[in-house]
Amino acid sequence: MSLRLESFGALRLLNAAGEPVAFPEKGLLTLCYLLDRPDRKCSRRALARFLWDSPGNPDIMANLRKMISRIQARQAELGVELLAFTATDVRVRRESFVADRSELDTLASTDPLDVLRRLLSLLRPDFLAELADQSTGMRAWVSGERGRHMAILIDAVKQALPQARSRADIGLIKEAALRIFRDAPDDENIRHILLQAYEAEGSLENARQLFESRRPDLRNALDVGLDLQALKEVRRIFDAGRATPLPAAPRLDSSIVLKATPLPRLVLLPPAEAGDAGFLPMLSEALIEDVTIGLCALNSVSVVAPHTAVQIARHADRQGMILRHSISYVLHTRLAAGSGPPSLFVQLVYAASDEVIWAERFSLEKYDLIADRREMARRIAKELSAQIRQNESVRGAFEANPAAYHSYLLGFRDMKRLSLPDIRRARKAFREALQHSAHFSPALAGLARTFLMEWLLTARGDAELIRLAEDYANRAIVADPSLASGFRQLGVAKLYLNDFDESVVALKVAEELSPHYADGIASYADTLVHASRPADGLAKIDRAISLNPLSPAEYLWTEAGANFALFRYGEALDAIGRMDDRTPADRLAAACWAMLGDVKNARLYMRKARETNPDFDVDRWLTLVPFKETWQREQYREALRKAGF
């Protein structure tokens, strides 16, 4: 009798005519399980544990004996032996039947598209999809097998991608990606492949609906009274970029080529103190190496080797090295001994935007680190993996547009310096990024930022700059409403338009979208200060600084402004003193010294501010600076007048 064992979808045994053949379900499960073992056999006790091990089944060996009796009786009726039993073992008789699972190991063809087609036909239904009443061991085995099958399918998709040219080829790639997406909706590579396939077919709206069906809907989060035109555009996010459909009969040499997205690269930088002598630096460096080793086992991220990581950490141009090696994420680490217990501060940063994704502090007291180092390493590795996977699910635009991404990085680097030449150089880089990809949301948000910073630095009240900032912030939200950067810039623009409530709401959305986005939280803090809530603003800026301890000058400028509004002029000057470039805060420094009664220093900083902006006029400036309540404006006016402006 010719028999076939099917395990994808329903578990069943078929005869030569394709008709079902009755057989005990546990016997069919045993066939599947033993086919997966190298020697095609296992002990009776091991099989009993696999089939029935659970708190509700104390006498699993009695269950096994009853099952064997039923199987032997049925095999006698069929006249074929599928399973052979001895006093101690159970063995599968492989020659007595064929199995659909065996096709996974026999697929071979010179045509990767043909392999993918056959593999997809086999894997459309889940392995043992209708199986119920599973033991703990069985569930783990089924889950592992399904994961292995998906890995085989993913590899087949990668092999077939370069060959896909015709409409039929692209349809096959899309179908396979959809099958993988069903089990792994957060896999950014698969999402990118699907997006390209739908775009090639001219049906991006279908991609949008598919993605929205498998992740929390952002619309409710956005429907909070922000710019109405932006929200309308968000709901039509794919319309403006809708691709032209393929012709009815595309040629085989069509230029449409789908490609896989590379894994994001992560570098773990050891603490700067790791090269020092001592117990803590040595163990903290070992802890980071443990984390690196743990991450190397993952297929969701590519980890830079420890030797290279050390070289990057010690290099004078660390940012240049990160750019040169196409690194997506950086884990900064820092030892803190101080007066309290020693600790290791870790901070995961997204390199493209310098955004803090996650930060945590771990105790390095001797008994903790020695006893729990491996557990700490596993915890850090697990958290890093989860945070990167979550972040990647909304960052596809970066990896999908490498040329735009590169120009964006250059612009972002220039934005870190608060001077007009650097701001305008950054604007040029962001415009270049948009030439490569017109809907590249990070570059759109970056452009908005350049107009806002120029408005601040020139102090001329140019309304056109704010209008452009608002426009580009809206465009950034349209291009990708899941990124916080567009909402951050919209919130700042609304602030300078004196729309305090809308500004607070936009920045609140930015914080909800990215709770560890230190730059966004810093902008939120600044808005709260101008909204005459300086105490709340100071609390926010403290949170931003805790996430990004080596804070940019902008954070400290906001901290100084919050302290000034709270009449804490000494603390404001202390914050200004910690800025790398204090020039933008010269006017605020003069105001602080004046309120402290130090006329000499007030005049000194007044003259420095005049050198940068000789046309500055107090009354005109104060009509432009947004303050919700009159007392705050009058406090600043009094301070500037005392300083000699």
Side-chain angles (χ1 to χ4, degrees):
M1 177 180 285
S2 179
L3 297 173
R4 174 181 171 84
L5 175 66
E6 291 195 344
S7 55
F8 291 95
L11 177 61
R12 57 184 183 169
L13 197 63
L14 303 178
N15 61 21
E19 299 168 339
V21 175
F23 201 84
E25 183 184 62
K26 287 292 194 289
L28 297 180
L29 262 177
T30 301
L31 291 174
C32 288
Y33 180 60
L34 295 183
L35 282 174
D36 202 39
R37 299 176 70 87
D39 55 0
R40 313 289 193 191
K41 70 174 183 178
C42 73
S43 70
R44 286 190 173 210
R45 184 165 295 279
L47 180 60
R49 284 198 302 270
F50 172 73
L51 293 173
W52 290 288
D53 191 14
S54 71
N57 278 323
D59 197 358
I60 58 177
M61 294 308 294
N63 291 341
L64 180 67
R65 288 191 292 272
K66 292 175 185 177
M67 183 197 78
I68 291 174
S69 177
R70 288 196 297 271
I71 290 174
Q72 288 176 328
R74 183 55 180 150
Q75 288 183 159
E77 293 172 3
L78 295 173
V80 63
E81 187 177 50
L82 305 177
L83 291 166
F85 302 96
T86 69
T88 57
D89 295 329
V90 182
R91 179 188 298 273
V92 65
R93 296 292 299 272
R94 186 65 188 82
E95 67 279 6
S96 301
F97 64 99
V98 295
D100 57 359
R101 294 186 68 205
S102 301
E103 296 175 25
L104 292 172
D105 303 320
T106 59
L107 280 173
S109 171
T110 56
D111 181 5
L113 288 164
D114 180 58
V115 170
L116 179 61
R117 189 174 293 107
R118 293 159 59 194
L119 189 59
L120 182 59
S121 176
L122 181 66
L123 296 179
R124 276 194 184 95
D126 278 329
F127 176 60
L128 298 177
E130 300 180 12
L131 190 64
D133 189 28
Q134 300 176 35
S135 68
T136 303
M138 193 185 304
R139 282 195 296 272
W141 172 70
V142 170
S143 176
E145 286 301 289
R146 289 176 180 173
R148 185 172 71 88
H149 301 156
M150 284 302 101
I152 294 172
L153 185 57
I154 289 170
D155 185 64
V157 169
K158 291 178 180 178
Q159 297 299 320
L161 275 173
Q163 310 300 320
R165 293 291 188 277
S166 69
R167 181 187 295 275
D169 294 343
I170 293 172
L172 175 66
I173 294 290
K174 185 182 76 173
E175 186 179 0
L178 282 169
R179 173 64 186 88
I180 300 167
F181 181 80
R182 190 178 79 196
D183 286 358
D186 293 332
D187 189 307
E188 186 59 32
N189 286 337
I190 295 304
R191 294 170 68 89
H192 182 57
I193 290 169
L194 279 171
L195 190 59
Q196 287 186 299
Y198 277 113
E199 184 176 18
E201 294 179 341
S203 54
L204 274 171
E205 177 63 20
N206 292 340
R208 182 187 67 80
Q209 292 175 358
L210 173 69
F211 294 162
E212 284 193 353
S213 71
R214 296 304 300 269
R215 71 178 180 181
D217 192 354
L218 280 171
R219 292 182 182 177
N220 292 334
L222 302 180
D223 230 344
V224 286
L226 296 179
D227 187 289
L228 294 179
Q229 184 60 34
L231 293 177
K232 290 177 184 176
E233 292 299 324
V234 166
R235 297 185 176 98
R236 296 196 299 270
I237 182 171
F238 284 90
D239 289 352
R242 189 182 299 279
T244 303
L246 287 175
R251 296 177 310 204
L252 290 179
D253 61 348
S254 166
S255 61
I256 297 169
V257 178
L258 305 180
K259 58 184 183 299
T261 305
L263 291 175
R265 300 196 77 197
L266 167 67
V267 63
L268 288 79
L269 302 181
E273 304 87 349
D276 300 341
F279 181 72
L280 287 179
M282 179 181 66
L283 280 180
S284 63
E285 187 174 13
L287 175 63
I288 295 301
E289 288 189 9
D290 287 344
V291 175
T292 304
I293 292 169
L295 287 167
C296 286
L298 301 175
N299 59 9
S300 58
V301 63
S302 172
V303 185
V304 175
H307 176 76
T308 300
V310 170
Q311 302 307 311
I312 292 174
R314 294 175 179 172
H315 201 278
D317 183 15
R318 182 185 295 182
Q319 191 63 33
M321 290 284 282
I322 289 169
L323 177 62
R324 192 173 311 133
H325 291 282
S326 302
I327 290 168
S328 308
Y329 296 90
V330 182
L331 185 75
H332 295 282
T333 59
R334 187 162 51 89
L335 285 173
S339 57
S343 61
L344 176 71
F345 179 75
V346 297
Q347 181 187 63
L348 181 64
V349 174
Y350 185 63
S353 62
D354 219 23
E355 176 182 344
V356 177
I357 305 301
W358 170 71
E360 186 62 271
R361 192 177 299 276
F362 296 91
S363 170
L364 290 186
E365 290 184 280
K366 186 179 294 187
Y367 64 87
D368 280 341
L369 192 55
I370 292 177
D372 303 326
R373 195 183 97 198
R374 300 291 181 184
E375 180 57 34
M376 288 171 63
R378 281 193 293 271
R379 179 183 167 193
I380 295 173
K382 181 180 178 181
E383 190 68 39
L384 285 176
S385 174
Q387 293 292 341
I388 289 174
R389 180 165 182 168
Q390 179 182 356
N391 196 59
E392 284 295 292
S393 68
V394 294
R395 304 290 177 172
F398 287 111
E399 309 302 341
N401 301 281
Y405 173 69
H406 183 81
S407 295
Y408 170 78
L409 281 179
L410 296 176
F412 189 85
R413 181 185 62 186
D414 290 330
M415 281 293 295
K416 291 184 176 181
R417 295 180 289 272
L418 299 179
S419 72
L420 275 177
D422 289 309
I423 296 298
R424 288 167 177 166
R425 194 178 302 113
R427 184 177 301 153
K428 180 181 178 182
F430 292 143
R431 290 193 187 280
E432 288 175 356
L434 292 174
Q435 289 175 0
H436 295 295
S437 178
H439 303 293
F440 191 60
S441 178
L444 291 165
L447 266 179
R449 188 71 179 162
T450 66
F451 293 119
L452 291 168
M453 294 309 299
E454 182 169 342
W455 186 88
L456 269 177
L457 292 171
T458 56
R460 292 194 298 265
D462 188 342
E464 179 65 11
L465 291 174
I466 298 298
R467 189 196 66 76
L468 287 168
E470 183 184 23
D471 179 56
Y472 278 105
N474 280 331
R475 292 190 198 182
I477 294 171
V478 169
D480 194 338
S482 63
L483 291 180
S485 53
F487 288 99
R488 176 198 178 197
Q489 306 311 334
L490 180 61
V492 177
K494 290 293 187 183
L495 170 66
Y496 296 136
L497 290 169
N498 290 294
D499 294 333
F500 296 101
D501 293 339
E502 290 190 23
S503 174
V504 168
V505 169
L507 289 160
K508 185 174 187 296
V509 171
E511 186 179 34
E512 289 173 352
L513 287 172
S514 193
H516 298 278
Y517 183 22
D519 288 352
I521 295 171
S523 292
Y524 196 175
D526 188 52
T527 284
L528 290 170
V529 172
H530 286 276
S532 301
R533 295 167 54 186
D536 293 339
L538 189 60
K540 281 289 181 195
I541 199 63
D542 285 345
R543 163 72 175 155
I545 291 172
S546 72
L547 288 169
N548 196 2
L550 302 178
S551 307
E554 205 175 326
Y555 290 26
L556 300 170
W557 194 1
T558 298
E559 181 187 349
N563 277 302
F564 178 87
L566 291 168
F567 308 99
R568 298 164 56 174
Y569 305 116
E571 289 87 342
L573 287 168
D574 178 66
I576 294 171
R578 301 198 307 274
M579 294 172 64
D580 292 333
D581 179 9
R582 304 171 193 172
T583 304
D586 283 342
R587 195 163 51 241
L588 181 58
C592 289
W593 284 117
M595 296 303 274
L596 289 171
D598 191 327
V599 177
K600 180 180 178 181
N601 272 316
R603 294 288 190 273
L604 171 66
Y605 282 98
M606 181 272 291
R607 287 191 292 271
K608 291 176 68 175
R610 286 284 190 197
E611 290 173 7
T612 305
N613 188 359
D615 298 325
F616 177 76
D617 178 82
V618 173
D619 292 328
R620 184 167 181 272
W621 174 240
L622 287 176
T623 63
L624 301 173
V625 176
F627 290 118
K628 189 170 185 178
E629 296 184 10
T630 305
W631 68 264
Q632 205 169 357
R633 180 176 285 104
E634 293 309 313
Q635 177 199 21
Y636 202 16
R637 186 194 307 276
E638 178 190 358
L640 291 174
R641 290 298 188 198
K642 285 184 176 180
F645 285 100

